[in-house]
Amino acid sequence: MLDATSLLIPTIELSKSAFIALNYVIVGMFLLMNVYITYQILQAYGPVLWSLFTGDQTASISGDVSTGLSLSSETLNTFGFVLMVLGGLLTLSIFGMVFGIPLFMIGWDIRQRTAEKQEASTV
Amino acid sequence: MTPTIGYIFLFLNGIFLIFIGYSARNAQVKDSDDYEVAGRRVKWPLVSGSYVVTFTWASTILVAGEAGYSFGWPVVWIYAVGGVGWVLMVPFWRRVKESLPTGTTYPEWVRLRFGERTHILTTLVTLVIHFIVIFYLLIGLGFGFSPLFNLDYWQAVLIGSGIIITFTVLGGLWSSIMTDYFQYLVVWTVVTLAFIFGVNSVGGLGAVYDQLASQGAVNGYSLLNPDAFYGYFLVLLFGWFFYPIVDQTIWQRMYAISDPKDTGKAISVAFFTWAFLPAMGVLIGIIGLAGNVQVDSGSEIVAATVRAFAPDWLVIAFAFLVFNAIASTCGSMLVGISSILTNDIYDEYISEITHEEKLRYDQYLVLAIGLLTTVLAILFKESILAVGIFLGAFYVVVTIPTFISFVWPRSATEAVFASIAFGFITALSLGYAVNFDVINNVAGIELTVWKLYFFMFVSETVIVVAGTYLVGKADPITIEDVGTRAQQSEIIGGDD
C-alpha cells in the first residue's frame, strides 16, 4: 500500500480482551437473530404447518384442498412434546443450539394450537 | 473424506431439493406469475428468511473468509456495511412497487419510467450481472466443495449445477423460497459449529489472538487497517452498496410479498439477520490464519480450515452448507435471468405470449443458461474474490443514474441513458483491465479497484446532472406516471 494512504487510515489494534469480547458478541447476536426470524416465520406460517398435520383446509397456503394428515389432538400434543424435548436437549448441547431452538419453538407452537383447538371445540 | 462420501452426500441432498421443487410445482406453480414471483402471496417472515439465505452467496462464507484471511478482522464490519445499502433502498423499492404493483422485473419499471432505449441498456447490464453471478457461484461450488471430499473441481461443479438446474426448472421461485428456510437453518447451524471447533482446535479466542500476534499478523486483530480500508471497504461501498437495485432475486421476492406494507420490514430484518453471517465467515478465515492452515488460493481458506479442524461429520455438514447456500442463490439467479429474458426481451420486443407460455420459456431458459454457465465455470477457474470485485463495477452502472433520478425527479431521460451507457462501457473495459491486472497505471497514476469505482460513481453522477442541464427541459415522466403508462400498455390486468 502507498505510504500516504497508510497515514490517512491508521491501524487500530484491538486488545486481547476486546478481541475476545467482540467475537462473543458477534456469535451471540448471530444466534439471537436466528431465534427472532424463526419466531416470526412460525407466527406467519404456524397455521399452514398446522393444516399439514390436521387437514384443516382453511389455513393452507393456496386455500386448495389440504394434504393434511388429520392427526388427533392427542397425537399432536405428543408430537409437539417430543419436538420440544428434542429441541431442548439439542439446545443444552451448544453444538445443537441452532437447530434445537427452532425445533423447540415449533413443538411449543403445535401444542399451543392444539390446546386452542380443543378449547374451542369444548366451548 | 473420500469422493464416495461426496457423491453420496450430493445424491441425498439433491434428491431432497428436487423433491421440494417437484412438490412446489405440483402445489403452487400454474403460470409464470407463480414461477417468477410466487403468485405474490408469500408472507414477510418467510421472504425475510429467504432474503437472508439468498444474500448468502458463495462470497458470504467463502469470500468473507478469504477477505478475512487477506485483510484481517475489519472485514467483520466492512462486509456488513456493504449491506446497509439494502435498508437505505427501502423507500425506493416501496415507491417502485406502489407505482407498478403487478410488475415482475426492475427493467420493466425502467422502460415505463425512462423509455425503450434506456430499458434495453438496463436489461443488457442486468443480464450481464446475473450471468456473471451464476458463473461465479458455480466456481464457488467447485472451490468450496472439491477440497472437502477430494473431488475434482469439474465434478463438483457438474454434479452440483445439475441438481440446482433440476429443482429450479421444476418449481421456480416457489422452489427457491421453500428450500430457503431449510438451507437457512443448515447455514446457521454449520457456521456456528465450524467456528466453535475451529476456535477450540487453536485453543480458544485468546490463543487465536496470541497466534496472530506471534505471526505479526496485526491485521488479524485490528479494528481498522489501511489494507482492509482501501482493498475492501471502498470496493464494497461503491459496488455492493448498490447491488439491490439491479439484482432480480431481490425484486422477485419484493414482488412476492403478500402485503406491500411489509416490504421495509422484510428487507430490514433480513439485513440485520444476515449481517452476522459473513462476520462468522471472516472469523473462520482468521482462525485459519492463526492456525497456519496452508492453501494454494485464498478462496479455499474456509473449506481448508474446516477440513483441518473439524471432525468428519462436520466436514460433511459444511459441505451441506456450501452446497445449499450456493444452490439457493444460484437457483434464484436462474429464475431471475429467465424472468428478465422472457418479460423484458421476448414478450416486449419479439412476440407477446401468455402467462402459461412464459412459464415454459422460463423453464427452457433456466436449463439453457444453467448448462452454459456450468461449462464456463468448468473451463475458467478464476478466483471468486476477483470475479466478485469485477462484478461490483456493474452494480454501479445502473444504480447511480436511476437512484439520482429518484432523489432528483427532474433528471432527464437522455442524461440517465448516457450515464448508464458510459458506465457500462467503463465497467466492461476498465473494470476488466484493472481487476485482472491488464492495466496497472495510467499516466503514472496507479489504478486500483476502489479508484475505478470512485471514478464511475463521480462520472456517472456528473453525466446525469450536467446532461439534464444541457437537455434543458424537465422530464415529462414521473414515478407516479409509471402506473398510468403501465395501464395504457395493458400490463396491469394481465392481458398477456
Side-chain angles (χ1 to χ4, degrees), chain A residues 1-2 5-6 8-16 19-20 22-24 26-27 29-31 33-34 36-38 40-41 44-45 61-62 64 94-95 98-99 102, chain B residues 28 42-46 73 76 181 184-185 188-189 192-193 195-196 205-206 209-210 218 220-227 229-230 269 272-273 276-277 279-280 283:
Chain A
M1 296 300 299
L2 294 172
T5 55
S6 299
L8 284 172
I9 301 296
T11 298
I12 303 174
E13 289 182 30
L14 289 166
S15 67
K16 188 170 175 176
F19 179 81
I20 294 170
L22 274 174
N23 288 325
Y24 275 128
I26 288 166
V27 176
M29 287 301 299
F30 181 73
L31 294 173
M33 294 309 296
N34 175 40
Y36 178 72
I37 282 249
T38 303
Q40 291 293 341
I41 289 175
Y45 282 100
I61 293 176
S62 59
D64 294 335
I94 195 168
F95 300 113
V98 179
F99 252 127
Chain B
Q28 307 293 346
V42 185
K43 294 183 185 171
W44 79 264
L46 199 59
W73 200 91
V76 162
Y181 183 64
Y184 160 87
L185 277 181
W188 286 75
T189 305
T192 305
L193 293 174
F195 172 78
I196 290 169
L205 281 170
Y209 186 95
D210 293 337
V218 175
Y221 55 90
S222 63
L223 187 63
L224 176 68
N225 65 67
D227 289 339
F229 186 82
Y230 292 105
V269 169
F272 283 109
T273 307
F276 297 100
L277 256 174
M280 296 295 281
L283 295 183

Side-chain angles (χ1 to χ4, degrees), chain B residues 69 202 215 283-294 301 305 309:
Chain B
Y69 180 74
V202 178
Q215 292 171 22
L283 295 183
I284 294 171
I286 289 175
I287 289 168
L289 178 66
N292 287 311
V293 174
Q294 300 300 313
I301 188 61
T305 301
F309 295 134

Side-chain angles (χ1 to χ4, degrees), chain B residues 27-50:
Chain B
Q28 307 293 346
V29 182
K30 305 289 184 292
D31 59 20
S32 63
D33 229 35
D34 293 329
Y35 193 83
E36 293 167 358
V37 290
R40 306 175 201 276
R41 53 175 191 265
V42 185
K43 294 183 185 171
W44 79 264
L46 199 59
V47 171
S48 213
S50 176

Side-chain angles (χ1 to χ4, degrees), chain B residues 378-390:
Chain B
I378 289 173
L379 293 176
F380 301 102
K381 193 177 167 184
E382 300 289 342
S383 155
I384 47 178
L385 182 61
V387 174
I389 292 174
F390 172 54

Side-chain angles (χ1 to χ4, degrees), chain B residues 465-480:
Chain B
V465 174
T468 298
Y469 282 114
L470 280 173
V471 166
K473 61 179 178 0
D475 206 19
I477 308 300
T478 64
I479 291 176
E480 287 68 37

Side-chain angles (χ1 to χ4, degrees), chain B residues 356-439:
Chain B
E356 288 71 30
E357 285 169 329
K358 272 191 204 176
L359 170 60
R360 265 208 320 282
Y361 284 32
D362 281 333
Q363 291 172 315
Y364 293 149
L365 285 166
V366 165
L367 179 62
I369 295 166
L371 290 174
L372 177 60
T373 47
T374 299
V375 169
L376 291 174
I378 289 173
L379 293 176
F380 301 102
K381 193 177 167 184
E382 300 289 342
S383 155
I384 47 178
L385 182 61
V387 174
I389 292 174
F390 172 54
L391 182 64
F394 292 92
Y395 286 121
V396 180
V397 171
V398 170
T399 305
I400 295 295
T402 51
F403 183 70
I404 290 173
S405 69
F406 177 65
V407 297
W408 191 41
R410 66 165 289 191
S411 302
T413 298
E414 296 89 337
V416 168
F417 173 78
S419 182
I420 294 174
F422 176 82
F424 189 37
I425 293 167
T426 306
L428 277 177
S429 53
L430 273 182
Y432 180 85
V434 172
N435 268 293
F436 296 99
D437 294 323
V438 176
I439 300 175

Side-chain angles (χ1 to χ4, degrees), chain B residues 65-66 69-70 143 147 285 288-289 291-308:
Chain B
E66 182 180 357
Y69 180 74
S70 305
F143 273 126
L289 178 66
N292 287 311
V293 174
Q294 300 300 313
V295 288
D296 295 325
S297 162
S299 301
E300 296 174 350
I301 188 61
V302 173
T305 301
V306 170
R307 202 169 57 165

